[in-house]
Amino acid sequence: MTDAGFETSDLRVDPTGSGPNRSVGRGRGGVVLSAILPGVPQLLVGRWGVGGLGLIVWTALLAVLLTRWTRFAAGWGGPLDHQIASLTVVAGLLGVWGWSMFDVSRPAEVKRTGVGQWSLAAKAFEKNRIAVLGLIVVVCVYLIALVTPLVTPHDPATQASLVTARLVPPGGEFPLGTDHLARDVFSRIMYGARISLSIGFVAVGISVTIGTLLGAVSGYLGGWVDTVVMRFVDMVISFPRLVLLITIVALFDSNSIFMIMAVLGFTQWPGTTRIVRGEVLSLREREFIEAARALGFSRSRIILRHVIPNVLAPVIVASTLGIGNVIVLEAGLSFLGMGLQPPTPSWGSMVADGRDHLLAAWWISTFPGLAIVLTVVAFNLVGDGLRDAFDPRLRT
Amino acid sequence: MPLLEVTDLRTYFTTDAGVARAVDGVSLQLEAGETLGIVGESGCGKTVMALSILGLIPSPPGEIVAGSSIRFNGEELLEVKPARLREIRGNEISMIFQEPMTSLNPVLTVGHQIEEVLRLHRGLKRREARAAGVALLAEVGISEPDQRYDSYPHQMSGGMLQRIMIAIALSCEPRLLIADEPTTALDVTIQAQILDLLVSLQQKHGMALLLITHDLGVVAEVCDRVVVMYGGQVVETGTTEEILSHPKHPYTQGLLASLPGIGDRDVRLNPIPGTVPSAVDWPEGCRFRDRCSFAWERCAESEPDLLPVVAGASRSARCWLVHPDESSIDRAGKPT
């Protein structure tokens, strides 16, 4: 009667590809090692991606905690960003330590169920060295942004003596030199990271939400809804983006960070909409969507719970690449003086500040420029890696 | 009152080539607890008819022509509000599809998909739904249901997936189950198991089964009555035994003749010549006449009605051969 007896043999056991080496770094020794240096047991078994990430985060945060103990302790009573910074240190340390201990003490045989697209993609991603490197950089930049108040040597807006500390070359008290207003470039870059990353994150959050919903609805419903949405997309895309941004910013005349986030977010979505619509058009002809209708599911339920989960992979790729794109745009706006107003440190405006002194003081423009490049390249590497990881044709 | 009563159902599709009359005047009845087989070649309108019953015909291009009627349990399905129709789907009428491999959402666990139906139609809480879902998996013969519950569709074989589709379809104990070629995509041993499962569950829950198939072997095994469809119309109805042993319509005879028999190693198969004509232009007169070895002038002149084979019985065929006027015709060959 039942065919299940011999069908159990087609179980895909073990999603993480445990080779014979998996047992190294486990057991009592692994647990002790993990308790002192999380990430090392994973490095020992060849999972250098997650292991390296864990180890870097652990040592960096530990270094911050030990060298900046007074600021860390004072942070709890300080302003909000100090509290967040102190909280990040604690949460990061506990998180890495807990993850590593859990990972080491987990039984060697892996759960047989639950090998979904996410764990398959994670496994493929972990094999892509360049992408993991990008991910490590991205995580580090985010960490720096979060713990900045604890680690910066100087206040980003305070000027040192304009007589003695103006345009000081890198080295000594000012690791990356000072600008024409005697402010520490290194501290300003660290604070600038928070601006760039939060703008990138929120703007892409806005654009992905709008883009995914519009694309899914447009593709699934088709007909006049589709026509209206896609013509609107064409219209938004046909505007030169930078000119549009400058116009909007000039129109509102208040360049708060939220304003910039909103403006970038509300002009970023058409790309996502197109990607999602294209996916949904082929998805809605699939049998499981018809089966869902035959089960009496409503349209909104089908779109939200059956269509959108199926397009998340390309959406995640698009948004990772989109963060890099938004960071560059924000830098461009700030460079043109249309972004955040001084003295808020933004990478774009720092590059602009150094323009007049490029020959005398190259460091003012160069280091924020490098920060932009490094961050954007890292995001693009992660995005490319994710795209490959989600593509079953590229899995081996 | 029959559980399902389809009267003069016409489902047309507007295409570039013209209006395709995919289902063209089908009437049938199904009593509670009964198994009715719908038999016919590809393209004869079986699936479109099933989708019409559930209101799943995409419109446009599809359209159910005025005058059609689908009464389920006394309720006219073609006139109910969309919300009520969604309530009926999956709850009172369920459907299982031909391709189990593609009928489940690939990114959700099978348990999630069972749970969703239970929570939507039966209002169960997550925990209750899980317990009920695992019990359903056990009922459809899945071993280790507790672990399989959290598996994804790609981790299972076609036979198991079809069992899960059956579990989902039965989760709300529907009164009617429409099975659209449920075994076509499976290999032969699994086919038999799935059929056994369907029949045993049908008897256990007392539901009616509308089984769409092109496999007369399946019909012989499972069905109480049979409706043979050709060209979007019913061409013959009767009990399974009558149809299989004394087919009246030449199309049914052709279907039976084209089956290989056990031991007929040296006998050539006897297929029906030609293919089903396009739904955009059915032939004038009898739609089967181009492929029929009995066809004569009358078949081209006018289309036969569904004529009773024996007065008073529920057995009928859409062929001039069973008409009283033509009783003198020599069945062995063409009339002269």
Side-chain angles (χ1 to χ4, degrees), chain B residues 201-219:
Chain B
L201 289 172
Q202 183 207 5
Q203 282 162 359
K204 187 171 157 197
H205 296 288
M207 62 185 177
L209 178 62
L210 188 68
L211 184 68
I212 298 173
T213 180
H214 55 244
D215 187 341
L216 286 166
V218 170
V219 167

Side-chain angles (χ1 to χ4, degrees), chain A residues 62-353:
Chain A
L62 205 61
V64 168
L65 188 71
L66 295 178
T67 57
R68 311 282 170 175
W69 176 257
T70 40
R71 275 206 238 178
F72 168 76
W76 298 110
L80 182 65
D81 60 340
H82 275 72
Q83 290 179 11
I84 291 177
S86 295
L87 192 67
T88 308
V89 172
V90 173
L93 287 174
L94 284 179
V96 171
W97 193 81
W99 162 78
S100 180
M101 291 305 276
F102 171 76
D103 192 60
V104 169
S105 54
R106 196 171 48 177
E109 92 250 19
V110 185
K111 212 169 59 137
R112 304 197 298 188
T113 54
V115 190
Q117 63 165 356
W118 304 113
S119 44
L120 286 172
K123 188 183 154 201
F125 187 86
E126 214 180 304
K127 281 189 199 152
N128 185 341
R129 298 181 170 230
I130 303 284
V132 172
L133 196 69
L135 182 68
I136 290 178
V137 172
V138 165
V139 170
C140 288
V141 175
Y142 266 105
L143 274 181
I144 289 171
L146 283 168
V147 302
T148 290
L150 299 186
V151 293
T152 48
H154 300 275
D155 185 276
T158 315
Q159 298 168 325
S161 160
L162 278 174
V163 182
T164 58
R166 198 167 161 267
L167 302 179
V168 174
E173 193 194 346
F174 304 102
L176 298 180
T178 60
D179 64 6
H180 60 293
L181 294 174
R183 296 171 300 191
D184 180 31
V185 172
F186 182 60
S187 305
R188 286 177 63 77
I189 288 179
M190 290 181 93
Y191 272 95
R194 331 171 90 193
I195 305 292
S196 291
L197 289 181
S198 47
I199 287 181
F201 198 76
V202 175
V204 166
I206 294 173
S207 78
V208 161
T209 312
I210 300 177
T212 307
L213 283 177
L214 267 185
V217 168
S218 159
Y220 185 75
L221 296 185
W224 65 267
V225 179
D226 189 35
T227 312
V228 170
V229 171
M230 291 327 286
R231 290 303 79 75
F232 188 58
V233 165
D234 291 342
M235 206 175 76
V236 174
I237 284 182
S238 66
F239 277 109
R241 179 102 179 265
L242 202 58
V243 176
L244 182 69
L245 291 176
I246 290 172
T247 316
I248 298 175
V249 169
L251 217 61
F252 281 93
D253 199 36
S254 84
N255 302 353
S256 75
I257 186 167
F258 302 108
M259 168 76 197
I260 302 287
M261 284 171 177
V263 166
L264 286 168
F266 284 108
T267 51
Q268 174 84 4
W269 56 269
T272 315
T273 307
R274 277 193 168 166
I275 296 172
V276 171
R277 174 182 173 266
E279 293 277 324
V280 172
L281 280 184
S282 73
L283 209 57
R284 73 168 178 189
E285 304 300 330
R286 301 266 298 272
E287 262 190 23
F288 68 86
I289 296 294
E290 185 166 50
R293 294 174 61 214
L295 287 170
F297 296 166
S298 63
R299 270 185 196 163
S300 53
R301 176 182 287 265
I302 292 176
I303 291 178
L304 288 175
R305 308 200 38 182
H306 291 262
V307 171
I308 288 185
N310 274 286
V311 298
L312 277 188
V315 165
I316 287 172
V317 173
S319 43
T320 314
L321 296 171
I323 290 183
N325 188 3
V326 165
I327 290 177
V328 169
L329 263 173
E330 185 274 328
L333 273 183
S334 296
F335 183 84
L336 295 174
M338 307 299 289
L340 294 167
Q341 294 308 297
T344 317
S346 153
W347 289 347
S349 54
M350 290 171 72
V351 173
D353 287 345

Side-chain angles (χ1 to χ4, degrees), chain B residues 39 58 75 85 102 120 184 205 218 225 233 235 248 264 278 323:
Chain B
V39 185
E75 199 171 359
L85 195 58
T102 57
L120 178 73
T184 308
H205 296 288
V218 170
R225 282 195 305 123
Q233 296 174 320
V235 293
K248 293 297 181 198
D264 300 348
S278 159
H323 195 272

Side-chain angles (χ1 to χ4, degrees), chain A residues 1-4 7-8 10-12 112-117 120 286-288 290-291 293-298 301 305-306 309-310, chain B residues 51 56 86 89-90 97 99 102-107 112 116 120-121 141 143-144 147 150-152 154-155 157 160 163 168 190 193:
Chain A
M1 168 70 210
T2 171
D3 54 330
E7 276 180 357
T8 43
D10 75 348
L11 275 170
R12 320 292 205 268
R112 304 197 298 188
T113 54
V115 190
Q117 63 165 356
L120 286 172
R286 301 266 298 272
E287 262 190 23
F288 68 86
E290 185 166 50
R293 294 174 61 214
L295 287 170
F297 296 166
S298 63
R301 176 182 287 265
R305 308 200 38 182
H306 291 262
N310 274 286
Chain B
L51 294 178
L56 289 177
R86 285 202 301 271
R89 287 181 198 153
F97 293 87
E99 276 286 346
T102 57
S103 299
L104 286 161
N105 192 332
V107 302
H112 184 111
E116 190 169 11
L120 178 73
H121 286 307
S143 62
E144 302 178 330
Q147 293 181 34
D150 295 315
S151 300
Y152 287 87
H154 72 266
Q155 294 170 292
S157 66
M160 294 182 91
R163 284 169 190 271
I168 291 176
I190 308 295
Q193 292 169 359

Side-chain angles (χ1 to χ4, degrees), chain B residues 38-42 44 46 181 213-214 227-229 251 255:
Chain B
I38 311 275
V39 185
E41 276 168 285
S42 305
C44 67
K46 298 170 304 203
E181 311 212 13
T213 180
H214 55 244
V227 167
V228 182
M229 280 183 73
Y251 179 60
L255 284 180

